[in-house]
Amino acid sequence: MANEKEKRKGRYAVDYGILSLLPPIVAVVLAIKSKNVIFSLFCGGFTGALILCMWNPFAAVKSMIGDYFFIQLTDSYNAGVIVLVIFIGGFIKLMEKSGGAQAFAKGVHKVINTKLKAQLCAWLGGILIFFSDLGTPLLVGPVFRPLFDKLKVSREKLAWILDSTSSPVAILVPFIGWGVYIMGLIQSEFANLGVAESDYTTFVQAIPFQIYSILAIIMIPLVAVTKKDFSQMRKAELQAQKNPVPEEMEDHYVPEVDEKGYSLGNAKPIMVLLPIITVFVVLFVNLVPLGFPFKKVDGNTFRVALTMGYFLASLVLMAMILLFKVKNAHDTFKIYVDGMKGMTDVAITLVLAWSLGTMISNLGTAEFIINFLKKANFATGLIPAFIFLFGTFVSFSTGSSWGTFAIMMPLAIPMANAFGIPYAICVGAVLSGGLFGDHCSPISDTTILSSTGAGCDLVDHVKTQLPYACVNGVIAFVSFILAGFTRSPLCVVFAVVVLLLCMFAWNKAENGKAANE
């Protein structure tokens, strides 16, 4: 323990000064220019390794591989996240290709028969799949896509609902992967600072300050009930009215059947419901004896249970695909393996993001920013808003909210400690900024997965979601200014009230415009 303390004290023995800002800047600039988050994070990390290795490129490559990539992969938490992501990929691909979503949509059409019901049910579905941000768009999306097509609700609207109920919901829950990951970052910084604070308590206290997430979730039913879409989303909804109902959703549609009797037409609604129920049952059977969901569950235990749930759900779905003669065994297994392979990019992004975050911490970037702000006499009350804006910029540029948290947490928590700001406010600012930028970024994994799950063009999804995200982002920014000076969790109430007033004003303006016409 003594050695660890000495190591922390000597971590910033070399003052890298303004050079400590170079790795995140390189990552951000390249992300904007190349639109390739993997390339950008790699270059940012390599820049950091060059600085730490005194500009020796050979030593930098060796350090990146041995001191960062290998270390990140051998970490039990990181390895667990990567394995979980791979199993999710296989399950989601099976769900997409099973034909169960179309069967489910036809089965529930008599009940979910209006646009309002469809949007609210998709919203509730996204909230219920709270345990997986990656699972939400690729699980809920294919289920509701045929229903939205039949009711002529735009796929862009579905993509927005998916994006706004994936990360924003998952990030509010302390006992799932997101919460465990964030608490790990928080605890790491507390250890570096020698602060005797609880990562769990800090996370829970930060929930009211996750203002952007709360606004994103609330906005969906507000828009659905008032029926007042605006900007590009309004155009998408008008276009959806002109789109024909897909042939496979027509009552007279007859799917093709091969010589052995295999056909997507054999799919049943139970092929959607039973696998999802399996995930829930396996998760709860494993975790309820440990106090879940009311107590914090060990991160590794949770990941094992969730991975097990997705694996068994995949087996159940494969069995039903074969039982109902939807596809043969060879094609079914190939779909599952292809889905696992499809998560390679996500796994690589996570390793690079974790590595870059560690490098930024080792370079003492937080200390440099803190000293600069102190010398500039920066108003303490504006620091949470500054953290929110900076986090937004990083997240938008890198397309990775998790990577942003890894970059920003080593900056925000030392700043909170140095300026005497409650940790919960600065943590909330990091999380809100990370999600706001993530929602606006065309290279974000959740943005890409949401457009994929909804079956709409990525650029169209970004264009239609951006105005909604910006409304919530501006409100969140103002709220963090208020939080910085008042330090009250009631700032989230202020944010919600402002959003309600904005929707009311929009409705009134639309009604007035209609009356004049």
Side-chain angles (χ1 to χ4, degrees):
M1 186 68 181
N3 291 335
E4 184 63 27
K5 288 182 178 179
E6 290 301 319
K7 184 179 179 181
R8 285 190 213 119
K9 287 179 181 179
R11 186 172 62 158
Y12 310 115
V14 178
D15 184 4
Y16 294 99
I18 197 170
L19 285 177
S20 64
L21 297 176
L22 199 54
I25 289 175
V26 168
V28 167
V29 171
L30 288 180
I32 294 173
K33 294 292 184 180
S34 69
K35 307 301 180 186
N36 188 319
V37 66
I38 292 178
F39 173 74
S40 305
L41 289 174
F42 178 86
C43 290
F46 182 67
T47 302
L50 277 174
I51 296 172
L52 290 168
C53 295
M54 305 301 292
W55 305 102
N56 183 328
F58 181 80
V61 172
K62 181 179 179 181
S63 177
M64 278 190 74
I65 296 173
D67 299 333
Y68 293 95
F69 294 167
F70 281 9
I71 297 299
Q72 300 301 332
L73 286 170
T74 54
D75 180 85
S76 61
Y77 170 80
N78 295 351
V81 170
I82 291 173
V83 171
L84 173 59
V85 164
I86 291 172
F87 274 86
I88 289 175
F91 173 71
I92 297 306
K93 197 71 172 181
L94 278 175
M95 185 67 74
E96 283 184 329
K97 300 295 184 180
S98 69
Q102 287 78 5
F104 176 80
K106 289 182 178 180
V108 301
H109 179 61
K110 293 181 180 179
V111 178
I112 307 176
N113 53 7
T114 67
K115 294 181 179 181
L116 175 60
K117 289 179 181 179
Q119 293 175 65
L120 292 180
C121 285
W123 174 65
L124 288 173
I127 293 175
L128 288 174
I129 312 297
F130 65 88
F131 49 83
S132 174
D133 65 303
L134 298 178
T136 296
L138 296 180
L139 191 60
V140 179
V143 170
F144 281 91
R145 185 196 308 159
L147 196 59
F148 272 52
D149 288 345
K150 191 173 182 67
L151 295 171
K152 295 193 174 183
V153 183
S154 70
R155 291 188 175 185
E156 289 83 357
K157 173 67 73 64
L158 176 58
W160 170 59
I161 294 173
L162 297 175
D163 218 346
S164 299
T165 55
S166 55
S167 303
V169 172
I171 203 172
L172 294 172
V173 184
F175 47 78
I176 64 173
W178 277 71
V180 174
Y181 172 68
I182 293 165
M183 284 187 284
L185 295 175
I186 294 171
Q187 184 56 42
S188 176
E189 292 312 308
F190 284 164
N192 291 334
L193 294 170
V195 175
E197 294 280 347
S198 166
D199 57 328
Y200 181 78
T201 301
T202 301
F203 182 92
V204 172
Q205 291 174 344
I207 290 176
F209 295 105
Q210 294 196 41
I211 297 172
Y212 181 82
S213 300
I214 294 170
L215 292 177
I217 296 169
I218 291 175
M219 194 178 202
I220 296 171
L222 286 178
V223 171
V225 171
T226 60
K227 301 178 182 178
K228 298 298 181 182
D229 293 295
F230 55 89
S231 190
Q232 296 297 318
M233 187 69 79
R234 181 180 177 85
K235 294 179 181 178
E237 286 296 288
L238 292 174
Q239 179 60 42
Q241 297 299 312
K242 304 174 185 178
N243 294 336
V245 176
E247 184 182 6
E248 63 269 19
M249 288 304 298
E250 297 284 5
D251 295 333
H252 57 76
Y253 175 70
V254 180
E256 294 182 3
V257 181
D258 68 11
E259 64 276 6
K260 294 185 178 180
Y262 291 102
S263 170
L264 288 175
N266 297 332
K268 309 293 181 184
I270 192 66
M271 295 171 65
V272 169
L273 299 175
L274 190 57
I276 295 176
I277 292 172
T278 300
V279 175
F280 273 101
V281 169
V282 173
L283 185 68
F284 278 80
V285 166
N286 277 278
L287 301 182
V288 165
L290 302 176
F292 177 87
F294 304 106
K295 293 182 180 179
K296 177 183 175 182
V297 176
D298 175 70
N300 186 63
T301 302
F302 182 87
R303 289 188 298 276
V304 170
L306 191 53
T307 303
M308 182 180 174
Y310 276 111
F311 175 65
L312 293 179
S314 297
L315 293 181
V316 169
L317 183 52
M318 282 190 267
M320 287 191 291
I321 290 174
L322 297 176
L323 177 65
F324 296 126
K325 301 195 74 172
V326 177
K327 292 183 180 294
N328 60 45
H330 176 270
D331 290 343
T332 300
F333 186 71
K334 185 177 184 301
I335 290 170
Y336 183 65
V337 174
D338 287 345
M340 296 178 115
K341 292 177 181 177
M343 288 294 161
T344 303
D345 284 357
V346 176
I348 293 173
T349 300
L350 289 175
V351 172
L352 290 173
W354 289 327
S355 298
L356 181 59
T358 302
M359 286 181 187
I360 288 175
S361 180
N362 291 341
L363 286 166
T365 308
E367 279 65 21
F368 175 79
I369 294 176
I370 290 169
N371 291 332
F372 175 80
L373 294 177
K374 283 183 175 179
K375 291 177 181 178
N377 293 319
F378 194 82
T380 301
L382 294 176
I383 286 178
F386 168 78
I387 292 172
F388 172 78
L389 279 183
F390 190 49
T392 297
F393 178 63
V394 173
S395 183
F396 175 81
S397 304
T398 63
S400 171
S401 52
W402 278 39
T404 299
F405 303 153
I407 293 170
M408 290 299 300
M409 213 64 81
L411 308 179
I413 292 180
M415 289 173 70
N417 184 68
F419 289 97
I421 303 171
Y423 294 115
I425 297 178
C426 289
V427 169
V430 170
L431 303 183
S432 287
L435 283 195
F436 176 37
D438 186 84
H439 268 189
C440 299
S441 177
I443 59 174
S444 159
D445 54 354
T446 50
T447 302
I448 295 169
L449 291 175
S450 295
S451 63
T452 301
C456 76
D457 182 73
L458 173 62
V459 175
D460 290 338
H461 170 43
V462 174
K463 285 166 53 180
T464 52
Q465 178 167 269
L466 188 60
Y468 290 7
C470 286
V471 168
N472 292 331
V474 170
I475 295 173
F477 174 69
V478 174
S479 300
F480 277 115
I481 294 177
L482 186 63
F485 287 100
T486 66
R487 305 189 176 186
S488 170
L490 293 178
C491 291
V492 68
V493 177
F494 165 80
V496 172
V497 170
V498 172
L499 178 60
L500 291 172
L501 291 175
C502 287
M503 294 301 300
F504 175 77
W506 176 257
N507 285 337
K508 189 173 181 180
E510 284 291 297
N511 292 336
K513 183 179 179 181
N516 292 331
E517 293 175 350

